[in-house]
Amino acid sequence: MKKFIPFLILALILTMLPPGGSSANTATVQLGSDVLFDQFHHLIEEKKVGLITNQTGVNSQGTSTIDLLRRDRSITLTALFAPEYGLDGKAQVASQPESFIHPVYGIPVYGLYGSTRQPTPEMLAHLDTLLVDLQDIGSRTYTYLSTLKYAMTAAKEQGKQVIVLDRPNPLGGTIVEGPVLEKRYESFIGVDELPLAHGMTIGELALFFNRTIGADLYVVPMQGYTRSMLYQETGLSWVPGSPHLPDLSSVYGYMATGLGEGTPVTQADHFTWVGAEGIDSVRYADLMNGSLLPGVIFLPEKKGKAGGVRLRIYDPRSFNPVKTGLYALAYARQLQPFPVPLGTDKEITLFEQVMGTDKIGQLLAQGKSPQEIVDSYAEALGKFKELRKNFFIYGDAPFVPTKPIHSGPVATEATQPTATTAPAPELGTVTTDLPPQSGTTQPPGTTAPAPKPGTSQPPGTTTQAPKPETAQPPGTTTQAPKPGTAQPPGATTQAPKPGTAQPPGTTAPAAKPGTAQPPVTAAPAPKPPVAPAPNTGEKIAYLTFDDGPSPVTPHILDTLKKYQVKATFFVVGRYVPGHEAILKRAVAEGHAIGGHTYSHDYQVVYKSTEAFFADLEKGNQLIEKAIGTKPVLFRYPGGSTNTVSLKYQDPKRYNSQKTVMSAIKAEANKKGYTFIDWNVTNGDARSNQYTAQQALATIKQQVKSQKEIVVLMHDASTKTPTAQSLPEVITFLKSKGYRFEVISPDRPTVSHVK
């Protein structure tokens, strides 16, 4: 019976997996590099800058930070510093040069991986600021973190400023696991007292490192990021940081399969397989699956003489890579006992450096169970979890930067609060005017705006008068709290400065006076309405709803009717049967209808051009049957710039240069179709666990003074909070001077709205 457990679990999992393309691919996170140039450019103006980076150092639009700095005439890029694998991420350790003059840029490039791992005084002599833009993978053993700490140490010694541009932790901020490194076991693959999976961003880690360094450190945070976000949910494109980690699957498997250094247990296929010679693959899979480790199943697979298992990670959010890796080691040793590489008083093994302690090796050698090994570090891990809260930047609400975060003994005019502050912070503590986000602890020595009467005050903070028109992040209401009520967690009470980071694909022209909304009349016949051309100076908002019709759609239509606002609905064909009356009502009340394919299944629609249009036409025929008009307006599942289509395109016909998306777009033009993307979203595509207040606040973050905005929302059956938020969304956009129109193929809005 045991041999069938893996296959029973696999069958169960396959029934639980959502269909491909269940939600739109929305980019809602602005990276630290975006925020630096959009909002905090003063940090680098008139400075001589050295940049630690590699191929991962790109902004949310894919532009290299090197190029951004070289184009900026207000600064001087004096030197580049490259971590392991070099500036392009391809160099082998043996061939990686110590330093050279870049053939194009004409500036020195210093390697920080060979014999020189910390910048020397000579390297730093001709610069004012050391800028860091590197993508971490969430593991203590990843050497980019070591490069960061060594660089901060050198900057402190030479009196140089450090600016870290924050990036997501691809594993998210909730999985924190593994033995905590003990001081004796510090090395280049473990530079601080962290567990193997630390659950922090590189910016938060810089603040953590600075508790003992005391460098003049600034962290430029991300906008729109939350503690629980996985990389897939940010909408950002993944850039591999190492030739051994080509994709996110390998990143997730890194600690799950790669903890056996110095033992016969090895990984293969970019950290997606683990095993060893002499292991029975079926018994190994049986043990691993029988442990019911979250988010993963194990398939037996031999590689030559080695038996092992291939990981199939089906739920990245619950998957625990370190715990999985320790179970893999313990069960491998049960099946094929091997000597554990234990050190001595004079020698520390590589295995112990990876673990950060000798205790795991000792327990493994004693034949302890996997759970006993995991339990052994629970107390130390609990203490770390409490300590790390002091260095959190992000909480449960999408983060809105208002100032760069400063840490260190030196306070400058740029960040020094004007109000009376708390006693001088200890070495390496954080100074910023941002209140803690929901679920976070206030860093020691921070200042925060004064709460309103009766609101709760975080311990250890000082007061500062709030500015007018304060920003409301997700989780807050638009009304001021009554006297005696507590301030909602995660609320910020200071408005973002002009020039705050703009969501990908949007621009922010100067605000123009809004015009009064003209009266809107219902369409006399069930035909797609034609939007009038906007007058000069008008600001237009196009409300769009994807993935209906559903039981939520009538509630949205009720609100639109009450406020006399028109919208555009992109309909999934398979949901039309049984909901024809909803579509007829939408058209009768003056709304526009577009297609969103029949299946909305990425695996189906993005296989080929023929497959896409067959699916789209199937859905459009059902729409035409319901409303009497065939739509020529449509929206691509995931948007026109999605990258998921690359995963499902027929490899015999398409490749990375000749993609299925480019072929579909060309054919759409021939067929006379018009597609539309979006430049504002309420974030409801990321999860079904969100509130109406969060949806509203996400829109507020992105709406600046754009002339035209297309707002992406969803009216699927799980999106009730979107319907609940709609009255306040409409009220907010009207207050910004927008009038509302439908999207019309007769006067199409630019596909990628500017």
Side-chain angles (χ1 to χ4, degrees), residues 586-644:
V587 173
E589 293 179 358
H591 305 294
I593 304 294
H596 200 35
T597 71
Y598 170 81
S599 66
H600 200 286
D601 187 338
Y602 293 167
Q603 189 170 359
V604 172
V605 301
Y606 291 130
K607 182 178 181 181
S608 67
T609 305
E610 295 80 9
F612 179 87
F613 285 102
D615 198 83
L616 181 65
E617 291 289 346
K618 184 177 179 180
N620 285 350
Q621 288 171 8
L622 290 169
I623 296 171
E624 182 179 14
K625 185 177 179 181
I627 66 174
T629 304
K630 182 179 178 181
V632 295
L633 185 70
F634 77 100
R635 174 169 281 163
Y636 290 106
S640 68
T641 59
N642 77 78
T643 56
V644 72

Short mmCIF file of all heavy atoms in Angstrom, two decimals, residues 586-644:
data_model
loop_
_atom_site.label_atom_id
_atom_site.label_comp_id
_atom_site.label_asym_id
_atom_site.label_seq_id
_atom_site.Cartn_x
_atom_site.Cartn_y
_atom_site.Cartn_z
N ALA A 586 -26.33 44.79 -18.91
CA ALA A 586 -25.14 45.64 -19.01
C ALA A 586 -25.18 46.47 -20.29
O ALA A 586 -24.90 47.68 -20.27
CB ALA A 586 -23.88 44.78 -18.96
N VAL A 587 -25.53 45.84 -21.41
CA VAL A 587 -25.59 46.56 -22.67
C VAL A 587 -26.73 47.58 -22.67
O VAL A 587 -26.57 48.73 -23.11
CB VAL A 587 -25.75 45.57 -23.84
CG1 VAL A 587 -25.98 46.31 -25.15
CG2 VAL A 587 -24.50 44.69 -23.96
N ALA A 588 -27.88 47.20 -22.14
CA ALA A 588 -29.03 48.10 -22.09
C ALA A 588 -28.74 49.34 -21.26
O ALA A 588 -29.29 50.42 -21.51
CB ALA A 588 -30.24 47.36 -21.53
N GLU A 589 -27.86 49.21 -20.26
CA GLU A 589 -27.54 50.34 -19.39
C GLU A 589 -26.33 51.12 -19.87
O GLU A 589 -25.82 51.99 -19.16
CB GLU A 589 -27.35 49.84 -17.96
CG GLU A 589 -28.65 49.31 -17.36
CD GLU A 589 -28.49 48.78 -15.93
OE1 GLU A 589 -27.35 48.78 -15.41
OE2 GLU A 589 -29.51 48.35 -15.35
N GLY A 590 -25.86 50.81 -21.09
CA GLY A 590 -24.83 51.63 -21.71
C GLY A 590 -23.40 51.19 -21.50
O GLY A 590 -22.46 51.94 -21.80
N HIS A 591 -23.20 50.00 -21.01
CA HIS A 591 -21.85 49.50 -20.79
C HIS A 591 -21.34 48.76 -22.03
O HIS A 591 -22.13 48.32 -22.86
CB HIS A 591 -21.82 48.57 -19.58
CG HIS A 591 -22.38 49.20 -18.34
ND1 HIS A 591 -21.78 50.26 -17.71
CD2 HIS A 591 -23.51 48.94 -17.63
CE1 HIS A 591 -22.49 50.62 -16.65
NE2 HIS A 591 -23.56 49.83 -16.58
N ALA A 592 -20.03 48.63 -22.13
CA ALA A 592 -19.42 47.94 -23.26
C ALA A 592 -19.03 46.52 -22.87
O ALA A 592 -18.70 46.25 -21.70
CB ALA A 592 -18.18 48.70 -23.74
N ILE A 593 -19.07 45.63 -23.85
CA ILE A 593 -18.72 44.22 -23.62
C ILE A 593 -17.58 43.84 -24.55
O ILE A 593 -17.61 44.12 -25.75
CB ILE A 593 -19.92 43.29 -23.91
CG1 ILE A 593 -21.13 43.69 -23.07
CG2 ILE A 593 -19.54 41.84 -23.65
CD1 ILE A 593 -20.96 43.52 -21.59
N GLY A 594 -16.56 43.22 -23.99
CA GLY A 594 -15.44 42.71 -24.77
C GLY A 594 -15.21 41.25 -24.46
O GLY A 594 -15.69 40.72 -23.46
N GLY A 595 -14.45 40.57 -25.31
CA GLY A 595 -14.14 39.17 -25.09
C GLY A 595 -12.90 38.99 -24.23
O GLY A 595 -12.01 39.85 -24.20
N HIS A 596 -12.86 37.87 -23.51
CA HIS A 596 -11.70 37.54 -22.67
C HIS A 596 -11.37 36.07 -22.82
O HIS A 596 -10.92 35.43 -21.87
CB HIS A 596 -12.03 37.90 -21.22
CG HIS A 596 -10.83 38.07 -20.33
ND1 HIS A 596 -9.63 38.60 -20.77
CD2 HIS A 596 -10.65 37.79 -19.02
CE1 HIS A 596 -8.79 38.64 -19.76
NE2 HIS A 596 -9.36 38.15 -18.69
N THR A 597 -11.62 35.54 -24.03
CA THR A 597 -11.50 34.14 -24.42
C THR A 597 -12.63 33.30 -23.81
O THR A 597 -13.36 33.77 -22.93
CB THR A 597 -10.13 33.50 -24.07
OG1 THR A 597 -10.02 33.33 -22.66
CG2 THR A 597 -8.99 34.35 -24.60
N TYR A 598 -12.74 32.09 -24.26
CA TYR A 598 -13.76 31.18 -23.73
C TYR A 598 -13.30 30.53 -22.43
O TYR A 598 -14.01 30.50 -21.43
CB TYR A 598 -14.10 30.10 -24.75
CG TYR A 598 -14.97 29.00 -24.16
CD1 TYR A 598 -16.34 29.18 -24.04
CD2 TYR A 598 -14.41 27.80 -23.73
CE1 TYR A 598 -17.15 28.19 -23.48
CE2 TYR A 598 -15.20 26.80 -23.17
CZ TYR A 598 -16.56 27.01 -23.04
OH TYR A 598 -17.34 26.03 -22.48
N SER A 599 -12.06 30.02 -22.42
CA SER A 599 -11.61 29.21 -21.28
C SER A 599 -10.81 29.99 -20.26
O SER A 599 -10.78 29.63 -19.08
CB SER A 599 -10.75 28.05 -21.78
OG SER A 599 -9.54 28.55 -22.35
N HIS A 600 -10.13 31.07 -20.69
CA HIS A 600 -9.18 31.80 -19.84
C HIS A 600 -8.13 30.85 -19.27
O HIS A 600 -7.59 31.06 -18.18
CB HIS A 600 -9.91 32.54 -18.71
CG HIS A 600 -9.10 33.66 -18.10
ND1 HIS A 600 -8.03 33.46 -17.25
CD2 HIS A 600 -9.23 35.00 -18.22
CE1 HIS A 600 -7.53 34.62 -16.87
NE2 HIS A 600 -8.24 35.58 -17.45
N ASP A 601 -7.80 29.84 -19.99
CA ASP A 601 -6.81 28.85 -19.57
C ASP A 601 -5.54 29.09 -20.38
O ASP A 601 -5.50 28.87 -21.58
CB ASP A 601 -7.34 27.44 -19.83
CG ASP A 601 -6.43 26.35 -19.27
OD1 ASP A 601 -5.23 26.61 -19.08
OD2 ASP A 601 -6.93 25.24 -19.03
N TYR A 602 -4.50 29.56 -19.72
CA TYR A 602 -3.25 29.90 -20.41
C TYR A 602 -2.71 28.71 -21.21
O TYR A 602 -2.17 28.87 -22.30
CB TYR A 602 -2.18 30.33 -19.40
CG TYR A 602 -2.44 31.63 -18.68
CD1 TYR A 602 -1.69 31.97 -17.55
CD2 TYR A 602 -3.41 32.52 -19.10
CE1 TYR A 602 -1.90 33.17 -16.89
CE2 TYR A 602 -3.63 33.71 -18.45
CZ TYR A 602 -2.87 34.03 -17.33
OH TYR A 602 -3.09 35.22 -16.68
N GLN A 603 -2.84 27.53 -20.64
CA GLN A 603 -2.30 26.34 -21.30
C GLN A 603 -2.99 26.08 -22.63
O GLN A 603 -2.39 25.55 -23.56
CB GLN A 603 -2.45 25.13 -20.37
CG GLN A 603 -1.74 23.88 -20.86
CD GLN A 603 -1.71 22.80 -19.80
OE1 GLN A 603 -2.20 22.99 -18.70
NE2 GLN A 603 -1.14 21.66 -20.13
N VAL A 604 -4.25 26.46 -22.72
CA VAL A 604 -5.02 26.26 -23.95
C VAL A 604 -4.79 27.39 -24.94
O VAL A 604 -4.41 27.17 -26.10
CB VAL A 604 -6.53 26.14 -23.63
CG1 VAL A 604 -7.36 26.12 -24.91
CG2 VAL A 604 -6.80 24.90 -22.79
N VAL A 605 -4.99 28.64 -24.47
CA VAL A 605 -5.02 29.76 -25.42
C VAL A 605 -3.65 30.15 -25.94
O VAL A 605 -3.53 30.71 -27.04
CB VAL A 605 -5.71 30.99 -24.79
CG1 VAL A 605 -7.14 30.66 -24.39
CG2 VAL A 605 -4.94 31.54 -23.60
N TYR A 606 -2.59 29.87 -25.17
CA TYR A 606 -1.27 30.31 -25.60
C TYR A 606 -0.42 29.19 -26.20
O TYR A 606 0.80 29.31 -26.31
CB TYR A 606 -0.53 30.99 -24.45
CG TYR A 606 -1.16 32.32 -24.08
CD1 TYR A 606 -1.48 32.62 -22.76
CD2 TYR A 606 -1.47 33.26 -25.06
CE1 TYR A 606 -2.07 33.84 -22.43
CE2 TYR A 606 -2.05 34.47 -24.74
CZ TYR A 606 -2.35 34.76 -23.42
OH TYR A 606 -2.93 35.96 -23.11
N LYS A 607 -1.09 28.13 -26.62
CA LYS A 607 -0.35 27.06 -27.30
C LYS A 607 0.04 27.50 -28.71
O LYS A 607 1.15 27.24 -29.17
CB LYS A 607 -1.21 25.80 -27.35
CG LYS A 607 -0.50 24.62 -28.00
CD LYS A 607 -1.37 23.37 -28.00
CE LYS A 607 -0.63 22.19 -28.64
NZ LYS A 607 -1.46 20.96 -28.66
N SER A 608 -0.89 28.16 -29.41
CA SER A 608 -0.62 28.59 -30.78
C SER A 608 -1.59 29.70 -31.15
O SER A 608 -2.58 29.96 -30.45
CB SER A 608 -0.78 27.43 -31.76
OG SER A 608 -2.14 27.02 -31.81
N THR A 609 -1.32 30.35 -32.28
CA THR A 609 -2.22 31.39 -32.78
C THR A 609 -3.60 30.80 -33.06
O THR A 609 -4.63 31.40 -32.70
CB THR A 609 -1.65 31.99 -34.08
OG1 THR A 609 -0.33 32.45 -33.84
CG2 THR A 609 -2.50 33.15 -34.56
N GLU A 610 -3.64 29.65 -33.70
CA GLU A 610 -4.92 29.03 -34.03
C GLU A 610 -5.71 28.69 -32.76
O GLU A 610 -6.93 28.90 -32.70
CB GLU A 610 -4.70 27.75 -34.85
CG GLU A 610 -4.08 27.98 -36.22
CD GLU A 610 -2.56 28.18 -36.16
OE1 GLU A 610 -1.97 27.97 -35.07
OE2 GLU A 610 -1.98 28.54 -37.19
N ALA A 611 -5.01 28.19 -31.75
CA ALA A 611 -5.68 27.83 -30.50
C ALA A 611 -6.26 29.07 -29.82
O ALA A 611 -7.38 29.03 -29.30
CB ALA A 611 -4.70 27.13 -29.56
N PHE A 612 -5.51 30.18 -29.86
CA PHE A 612 -5.99 31.40 -29.22
C PHE A 612 -7.28 31.88 -29.87
O PHE A 612 -8.28 32.15 -29.19
CB PHE A 612 -4.93 32.50 -29.28
CG PHE A 612 -5.39 33.79 -28.65
CD1 PHE A 612 -5.22 34.00 -27.29
CD2 PHE A 612 -6.00 34.78 -29.40
CE1 PHE A 612 -5.67 35.17 -26.68
CE2 PHE A 612 -6.45 35.95 -28.82
CZ PHE A 612 -6.28 36.15 -27.45
N PHE A 613 -7.28 32.01 -31.19
CA PHE A 613 -8.46 32.59 -31.85
C PHE A 613 -9.64 31.61 -31.89
O PHE A 613 -10.79 32.05 -31.89
CB PHE A 613 -8.08 33.09 -33.25
CG PHE A 613 -7.30 34.35 -33.19
CD1 PHE A 613 -5.92 34.35 -33.37
CD2 PHE A 613 -7.93 35.56 -32.90
CE1 PHE A 613 -5.19 35.52 -33.28
CE2 PHE A 613 -7.20 36.73 -32.81
CZ PHE A 613 -5.83 36.72 -33.01
N ALA A 614 -9.36 30.32 -31.87
CA ALA A 614 -10.46 29.37 -31.76
C ALA A 614 -11.16 29.54 -30.41
O ALA A 614 -12.40 29.52 -30.32
CB ALA A 614 -9.94 27.94 -31.92
N ASP A 615 -10.36 29.72 -29.37
CA ASP A 615 -10.91 29.90 -28.02
C ASP A 615 -11.63 31.24 -27.90
O ASP A 615 -12.72 31.33 -27.33
CB ASP A 615 -9.79 29.80 -26.99
CG ASP A 615 -10.31 29.52 -25.59
OD1 ASP A 615 -10.56 28.35 -25.27
OD2 ASP A 615 -10.46 30.49 -24.82
N LEU A 616 -11.01 32.30 -28.45
CA LEU A 616 -11.62 33.63 -28.40
C LEU A 616 -12.95 33.63 -29.16
O LEU A 616 -13.96 34.17 -28.67
CB LEU A 616 -10.67 34.67 -28.98
CG LEU A 616 -11.16 36.12 -28.98
CD1 LEU A 616 -11.32 36.63 -27.56
CD2 LEU A 616 -10.19 37.01 -29.77
N GLU A 617 -12.96 33.05 -30.36
CA GLU A 617 -14.17 33.03 -31.17
C GLU A 617 -15.28 32.22 -30.49
O GLU A 617 -16.46 32.59 -30.55
CB GLU A 617 -13.87 32.42 -32.56
CG GLU A 617 -13.00 33.29 -33.45
CD GLU A 617 -13.73 34.53 -33.94
OE1 GLU A 617 -14.97 34.58 -33.82
OE2 GLU A 617 -13.07 35.45 -34.43
N LYS A 618 -14.92 31.15 -29.84
CA LYS A 618 -15.91 30.34 -29.14
C LYS A 618 -16.62 31.18 -28.06
O LYS A 618 -17.84 31.13 -27.92
CB LYS A 618 -15.25 29.12 -28.51
CG LYS A 618 -16.21 28.15 -27.84
CD LYS A 618 -15.45 26.93 -27.31
CE LYS A 618 -16.40 25.96 -26.62
NZ LYS A 618 -15.68 24.76 -26.09
N GLY A 619 -15.84 31.95 -27.32
CA GLY A 619 -16.42 32.82 -26.31
C GLY A 619 -17.24 33.94 -26.93
O GLY A 619 -18.33 34.28 -26.43
N ASN A 620 -16.73 34.53 -28.01
CA ASN A 620 -17.44 35.64 -28.66
C ASN A 620 -18.78 35.19 -29.23
O ASN A 620 -19.75 35.97 -29.27
CB ASN A 620 -16.57 36.24 -29.76
CG ASN A 620 -15.45 37.10 -29.20
OD1 ASN A 620 -15.43 37.40 -28.01
ND2 ASN A 620 -14.52 37.49 -30.05
N GLN A 621 -18.86 33.96 -29.72
CA GLN A 621 -20.12 33.46 -30.25
C GLN A 621 -21.18 33.38 -29.16
O GLN A 621 -22.36 33.69 -29.39
CB GLN A 621 -19.91 32.09 -30.89
CG GLN A 621 -19.15 32.14 -32.21
CD GLN A 621 -18.76 30.77 -32.71
OE1 GLN A 621 -19.19 29.75 -32.17
NE2 GLN A 621 -17.95 30.72 -33.77
N LEU A 622 -20.78 32.99 -27.96
CA LEU A 622 -21.73 32.94 -26.85
C LEU A 622 -22.16 34.35 -26.43
O LEU A 622 -23.31 34.57 -26.06
CB LEU A 622 -21.10 32.19 -25.67
CG LEU A 622 -20.92 30.68 -25.86
CD1 LEU A 622 -20.05 30.10 -24.76
CD2 LEU A 622 -22.27 29.98 -25.90
N ILE A 623 -21.20 35.30 -26.49
CA ILE A 623 -21.55 36.68 -26.18
C ILE A 623 -22.53 37.22 -27.21
O ILE A 623 -23.53 37.87 -26.87
CB ILE A 623 -20.27 37.55 -26.12
CG1 ILE A 623 -19.37 37.10 -24.98
CG2 ILE A 623 -20.63 39.03 -25.97
CD1 ILE A 623 -18.00 37.76 -24.98
N GLU A 624 -22.25 36.96 -28.49
CA GLU A 624 -23.13 37.44 -29.56
C GLU A 624 -24.53 36.84 -29.43
O GLU A 624 -25.55 37.52 -29.64
CB GLU A 624 -22.53 37.07 -30.92
CG GLU A 624 -23.35 37.58 -32.10
CD GLU A 624 -22.72 37.23 -33.44
OE1 GLU A 624 -21.81 36.37 -33.46
OE2 GLU A 624 -23.14 37.80 -34.46
N LYS A 625 -24.60 35.58 -29.06
CA LYS A 625 -25.90 34.93 -28.89
C LYS A 625 -26.69 35.60 -27.77
O LYS A 625 -27.93 35.70 -27.83
CB LYS A 625 -25.68 33.45 -28.59
CG LYS A 625 -26.97 32.64 -28.50
CD LYS A 625 -26.65 31.16 -28.27
CE LYS A 625 -27.94 30.35 -28.17
NZ LYS A 625 -27.65 28.91 -27.92
N ALA A 626 -25.97 36.10 -26.75
CA ALA A 626 -26.64 36.70 -25.59
C ALA A 626 -27.07 38.13 -25.85
O ALA A 626 -28.16 38.54 -25.45
CB ALA A 626 -25.73 36.65 -24.37
N ILE A 627 -26.23 38.94 -26.54
CA ILE A 627 -26.52 40.37 -26.66
C ILE A 627 -26.81 40.81 -28.09
O ILE A 627 -27.16 41.97 -28.32
CB ILE A 627 -25.35 41.22 -26.10
CG1 ILE A 627 -24.08 41.05 -26.95
CG2 ILE A 627 -25.09 40.88 -24.65
CD1 ILE A 627 -22.93 41.98 -26.53
N GLY A 628 -26.63 39.90 -29.06
CA GLY A 628 -26.95 40.24 -30.44
C GLY A 628 -25.84 40.92 -31.20
O GLY A 628 -25.99 41.24 -32.38
N THR A 629 -24.70 41.17 -30.55
CA THR A 629 -23.58 41.82 -31.21
C THR A 629 -22.29 41.08 -30.88
O THR A 629 -22.04 40.77 -29.71
CB THR A 629 -23.43 43.29 -30.74
OG1 THR A 629 -24.66 43.97 -30.97
CG2 THR A 629 -22.31 43.99 -31.49
N LYS A 630 -21.49 40.82 -31.90
CA LYS A 630 -20.21 40.15 -31.67
C LYS A 630 -19.15 41.17 -31.30
O LYS A 630 -18.93 42.14 -32.03
CB LYS A 630 -19.79 39.39 -32.94
CG LYS A 630 -18.50 38.61 -32.79
CD LYS A 630 -18.17 37.88 -34.08
CE LYS A 630 -16.86 37.13 -33.98
NZ LYS A 630 -16.52 36.44 -35.24
N PRO A 631 -18.47 41.00 -30.18
CA PRO A 631 -17.46 41.99 -29.78
C PRO A 631 -16.21 41.92 -30.64
O PRO A 631 -15.81 40.84 -31.08
CB PRO A 631 -17.14 41.60 -28.33
CG PRO A 631 -17.46 40.15 -28.25
CD PRO A 631 -18.60 39.92 -29.20
N VAL A 632 -15.63 43.09 -30.90
CA VAL A 632 -14.32 43.14 -31.57
C VAL A 632 -13.26 43.65 -30.60
O VAL A 632 -12.08 43.68 -30.92
CB VAL A 632 -14.35 44.05 -32.82
CG1 VAL A 632 -15.27 43.46 -33.86
CG2 VAL A 632 -14.80 45.46 -32.47
N LEU A 633 -13.71 44.02 -29.42
CA LEU A 633 -12.80 44.46 -28.36
C LEU A 633 -12.49 43.25 -27.48
O LEU A 633 -13.36 42.43 -27.21
CB LEU A 633 -13.49 45.55 -27.52
CG LEU A 633 -12.67 46.23 -26.43
CD1 LEU A 633 -11.60 47.11 -27.04
CD2 LEU A 633 -13.60 47.06 -25.54
N PHE A 634 -11.23 43.10 -27.06
CA PHE A 634 -10.90 41.97 -26.20
C PHE A 634 -9.71 42.32 -25.31
O PHE A 634 -9.01 43.32 -25.52
CB PHE A 634 -10.60 40.71 -27.02
CG PHE A 634 -9.23 40.69 -27.66
CD1 PHE A 634 -8.18 39.98 -27.09
CD2 PHE A 634 -9.00 41.37 -28.85
CE1 PHE A 634 -6.93 39.95 -27.69
CE2 PHE A 634 -7.75 41.34 -29.46
CZ PHE A 634 -6.71 40.63 -28.87
N ARG A 635 -9.51 41.50 -24.33
CA ARG A 635 -8.34 41.63 -23.43
C ARG A 635 -7.66 40.28 -23.34
O ARG A 635 -8.29 39.24 -23.18
CB ARG A 635 -8.76 42.10 -22.04
CG ARG A 635 -7.62 42.12 -21.03
CD ARG A 635 -8.01 42.84 -19.75
NE ARG A 635 -7.94 44.29 -19.93
CZ ARG A 635 -8.52 45.18 -19.12
NH1 ARG A 635 -9.25 44.75 -18.09
NH2 ARG A 635 -8.40 46.47 -19.33
N TYR A 636 -6.32 40.31 -23.46
CA TYR A 636 -5.55 39.07 -23.34
C TYR A 636 -5.56 38.58 -21.89
O TYR A 636 -5.33 39.37 -20.97
CB TYR A 636 -4.09 39.30 -23.74
CG TYR A 636 -3.86 39.55 -25.21
CD1 TYR A 636 -3.56 40.83 -25.67
CD2 TYR A 636 -3.92 38.51 -26.12
CE1 TYR A 636 -3.33 41.07 -27.02
CE2 TYR A 636 -3.70 38.74 -27.47
CZ TYR A 636 -3.40 40.02 -27.91
OH TYR A 636 -3.18 40.25 -29.24
N PRO A 637 -5.81 37.30 -21.65
CA PRO A 637 -5.61 36.77 -20.29
C PRO A 637 -4.17 37.01 -19.85
O PRO A 637 -3.22 36.63 -20.53
CB PRO A 637 -5.90 35.27 -20.46
CG PRO A 637 -6.84 35.21 -21.61
CD PRO A 637 -6.39 36.30 -22.56
N GLY A 638 -4.00 37.72 -18.74
CA GLY A 638 -2.66 38.06 -18.27
C GLY A 638 -2.09 39.32 -18.87
O GLY A 638 -1.01 39.74 -18.50
N GLY A 639 -2.81 39.95 -19.82
CA GLY A 639 -2.31 41.16 -20.45
C GLY A 639 -1.44 40.88 -21.65
O GLY A 639 -0.93 39.76 -21.84
N SER A 640 -1.24 41.89 -22.49
CA SER A 640 -0.52 41.69 -23.74
C SER A 640 0.98 41.50 -23.55
O SER A 640 1.67 41.06 -24.45
CB SER A 640 -0.75 42.89 -24.67
OG SER A 640 -0.13 44.05 -24.15
N THR A 641 1.48 41.86 -22.35
CA THR A 641 2.92 41.73 -22.10
C THR A 641 3.23 40.55 -21.19
O THR A 641 4.31 40.49 -20.61
CB THR A 641 3.48 43.02 -21.48
OG1 THR A 641 2.78 43.28 -20.25
CG2 THR A 641 3.30 44.20 -22.42
N ASN A 642 2.28 39.64 -21.02
CA ASN A 642 2.52 38.52 -20.11
C ASN A 642 3.68 37.67 -20.61
O ASN A 642 3.96 37.61 -21.81
CB ASN A 642 1.25 37.67 -19.96
CG ASN A 642 1.00 36.78 -21.17
OD1 ASN A 642 1.63 35.74 -21.33
ND2 ASN A 642 0.07 37.20 -22.04
N THR A 643 4.34 37.01 -19.68
CA THR A 643 5.43 36.09 -20.02
C THR A 643 5.04 34.63 -19.83
O THR A 643 5.76 33.73 -20.24
CB THR A 643 6.67 36.38 -19.17
OG1 THR A 643 6.30 36.32 -17.78
CG2 THR A 643 7.22 37.77 -19.47
N VAL A 644 3.88 34.41 -19.20
CA VAL A 644 3.45 33.03 -18.97
C VAL A 644 3.19 32.31 -20.29
O VAL A 644 3.28 31.08 -20.37
CB VAL A 644 2.20 33.00 -18.07
CG1 VAL A 644 0.97 33.50 -18.81
CG2 VAL A 644 1.96 31.60 -17.53
#
